């Protein structure tokens, strides 16, 4: 199961909405890459703009409630899980915030 999840993550991307210090409405997309990959997608991924300063000077973590453990869930269930996660993060106090991305698909 671990290899299956690693493969799922390797093909995923992450979106960070309203990045602090950047123009309002800015979204940054990231995805894992391999230095040995020579596909067109890898070329695009490695030719992107540099990360904003907050990314390289902070400790950031990406959390999601969408499709737990790689198991597909209906959109309504994923959004409900995301709302619960946002509430849990808010209850942790100052210095912890949720990006509100909510996972894949239209929002």
């Amino acid at each position: 199961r671990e290899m299956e999840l690693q493969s799922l993550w390797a093909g995923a991307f992450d979106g960070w909405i309203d990045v602090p210090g950047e123009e309002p409405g800015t979204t940054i997309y990231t995805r894992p890459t391999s230095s040995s990959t020579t596909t067109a997608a890898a070329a695009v991924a490695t030719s992107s703009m540099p990360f904003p300063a907050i990314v390289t000077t902070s400790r950031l973590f990406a959390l999601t409630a969408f499709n737990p453990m790689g198991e597909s869930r209906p959109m309504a269930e994923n959004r409900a899980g995301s709302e619960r996660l946002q509430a849990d993060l808010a209850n942790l106090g100052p210095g912890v915030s949720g990006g509100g991305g909510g996972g894949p698909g239209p929002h």
Side-chain angles (χ1 to χ4, degrees):
R1 179 80 174 132
E2 184 176 336
M3 291 300 292
E4 183 182 336
L5 289 173
Q6 286 176 352
S7 178
L8 179 66
W9 173 247
F13 67 93
D14 194 32
W16 187 8
I17 301 168
D18 293 327
V19 179
E22 295 297 305
E23 185 175 325
T26 298
T27 301
I28 296 175
Y29 295 97
T30 60
R31 68 173 296 170
T33 62
S34 168
S35 60
S36 63
T37 305
T38 58
T39 65
V44 169
T46 58
S47 66
S48 300
M49 296 173 57
F51 282 120
I54 192 169
V55 175
T56 59
T57 60
S58 302
R59 288 178 179 87
L60 305 172
F61 300 89
L63 303 175
T64 184
F66 269 60
N67 299 331
M69 296 301 292
E71 300 292 329
S72 292
R73 299 283 193 261
M75 185 59 74
E77 190 175 325
N78 280 326
R79 286 193 172 143
S82 184
E83 289 172 7
R84 287 190 303 274
L85 178 58
Q86 290 283 335
D88 286 346
L89 290 172
N91 287 331
L92 290 175
V96 178
S97 66
H107 301 286

